[in-house]
Amino acid sequence: MRAARLIKMVLLLQSRPSMTAAELARELEVSERTVTRDAQALSEAGVPVYADRGRAGGYRLVGGYRTRLTGLARTEAEALFLSGVPGALREMGLQDAASAARLKVSAALLPSLRDAPDSAARRFHLDAPAWFREPETPAPLPVIAEAVWADRRIGTVYRRGERPVERELEPYGLVLKAGVWYLCARVAGGGAFRTYRIDRFVAVDALDERFERVPDFDLAAFWSEQVERFARSILRAAVVVRLSPEGARRLPYAVDPAAAREALAGTGGPDGEGWVTVTVPVESEEVAHEQLTALGPEAEVLAPAGLRERFAADAARLAARYRRADGG
C-alpha cells in the first residue's frame, strides 16, 4: 500500500512544477504529516524531492528528475481502455485520434498485457443514449469540440424559445447526458458560466481569437451543481403522502431521488400500521399524479385535496372495472 502511494506521489510531482503538502494529502488521501514522512522516505531512497519552506512553499522534484516507474498493471491497462467512449469520440470528430492513441498504447504494453483492449471490450460497453430515442449528432458538435480543445472563441446563434440570440462564447467543456450534448461556456470577456444544448445552436463559427481559461474551473463539479440546481428549480409544488414500508422503499424510484431521500429523512417515524407520512417536493400536481400512480396501493395521497380526489376517482374506476371483469 505504501509503495503504491510513494510511486503515485513521485508521478504527481513529475507532472507538476510543485505541489503543497495539502494538495498532495488530498490527492493521496492521507494526512499532511504522512506526506512529510513519505517525502523524507523518497529522499532517503535517492529520489530528489525538495521541500520549499514558507507560506508559498511545497514539494518539487529537483533537476528534471523522471521516474521509470511507468509500467501498467493488468487492471490499470484494462481501465485505460474503458476510458474511451467510441460513439462520443466519433460524434466529436476525434475517432481517428483516439484510434491512433490506442494503437500506440497497445504497442507500448508488455506482451502479457496486449490483450487488455479486447479484455475490456468483452466486459464493458457504454450505451449513452436513452431508451426509445434515435440518437442524432448535432451538426455544430465537431466545430464546437475543436474549439473546446483549442481554447478558441466561437460566434454563435442560439435558439432561446422562439427567439434567436447571438453570442460570442468561450467554450470550456462538453457533456453528454442521456444522448444529449451540452456545452459549458461563458460569454466572451467574462461573466457567469452557463449551459447550452448543442442541438439548439442555429449557427456556430470558430473564431481566430483564443481565450485564457479560468485555472480552477472544474467541469465535473460545475455540471453536478447545474444538475442539482435544475432539479431543485422545477420542484415548485409539494404533496403529502402516506407510505407503506414498500412504498417508502420505492419512492426514490418514482419521484426525484434527492427529494425523496430528504422527505424520508424528515419523517417522524412509522405509525401503528408501520406507514410513514412524508411531504415530497414535486414539479406539479399533474406530474405527481403520474409519478405516484406507480406506487399503487403502497401510497395514500393526503394533500392537496384536489390530487387526493383524483386518486380516489382512479381507485373507484379501477374497482368498478375489476368488478365488471369478475362478473359482479
Side-chain angles (χ1 to χ4, degrees), residues 80-146:
L80 176 64
F81 286 96
L82 289 180
S83 62
V85 184
L89 292 169
R90 182 175 58 254
E91 292 180 9
M92 288 189 292
L94 297 174
Q95 70 271 29
D96 291 340
S99 177
R102 288 193 182 94
L103 285 173
K104 290 177 181 178
V105 172
S106 297
L109 292 174
L110 292 172
S112 60
L113 301 179
R114 295 281 166 82
D115 66 334
D118 291 336
S119 176
R122 285 194 299 269
R123 289 168 171 81
F124 179 81
H125 172 69
L126 176 63
D127 184 10
W131 285 100
F132 311 119
R133 63 180 299 171
E134 197 66 32
E136 294 183 4
T137 304
L141 179 59
V143 175
I144 293 174
E146 186 175 349

Side-chain angles (χ1 to χ4, degrees), residues 123-173:
R123 289 168 171 81
F124 179 81
H125 172 69
L126 176 63
D127 184 10
W131 285 100
F132 311 119
R133 63 180 299 171
E134 197 66 32
E136 294 183 4
T137 304
L141 179 59
V143 175
I144 293 174
E146 186 175 349
V148 168
W149 290 113
D151 295 339
R152 194 181 298 278
R153 289 181 176 179
I154 53 176
T156 70
V157 180
Y158 188 75
R159 189 176 68 255
R160 180 169 294 165
E162 299 299 322
R163 183 170 58 94
V165 179
E166 293 188 21
R167 289 282 188 272
E168 184 175 317
L169 300 177
E170 296 176 351
Y172 268 69

Side-chain angles (χ1 to χ4, degrees), residues 37-73:
R37 288 199 296 265
D38 286 352
Q40 183 177 351
L42 286 171
S43 181
E44 292 172 354
V47 178
V49 178
Y50 181 77
D52 291 312
R53 305 296 179 185
R55 190 172 183 179
Y59 292 92
R60 60 186 174 86
L61 294 175
V62 179
Y65 176 85
R66 308 290 294 180
T67 177
R68 291 188 175 89
L69 296 173
T70 55
L72 294 175

Side-chain angles (χ1 to χ4, degrees), residues 271-283:
D271 58 21
E273 298 179 13
W275 289 48
V276 294
T277 300
V278 297
T279 300
V280 185
V282 293
E283 187 174 342

Side-chain angles (χ1 to χ4, degrees), residues 299-319:
E300 177 190 0
V301 173
L302 303 179
L307 185 60
R308 179 178 174 84
E309 291 171 3
R310 192 166 176 179
F311 273 99
D314 289 346
R317 288 170 58 199
L318 279 172

Side-chain angles (χ1 to χ4, degrees), residues 11 35 39 60-61 74-75 88 116 169 183 186 217 232 278 327:
L11 293 173
V35 168
R60 60 186 174 86
L61 294 175
R74 168 163 290 279
T75 53
L169 300 177
L183 171 67
R186 66 176 186 170
F217 176 76
R232 298 268 181 196
V278 297

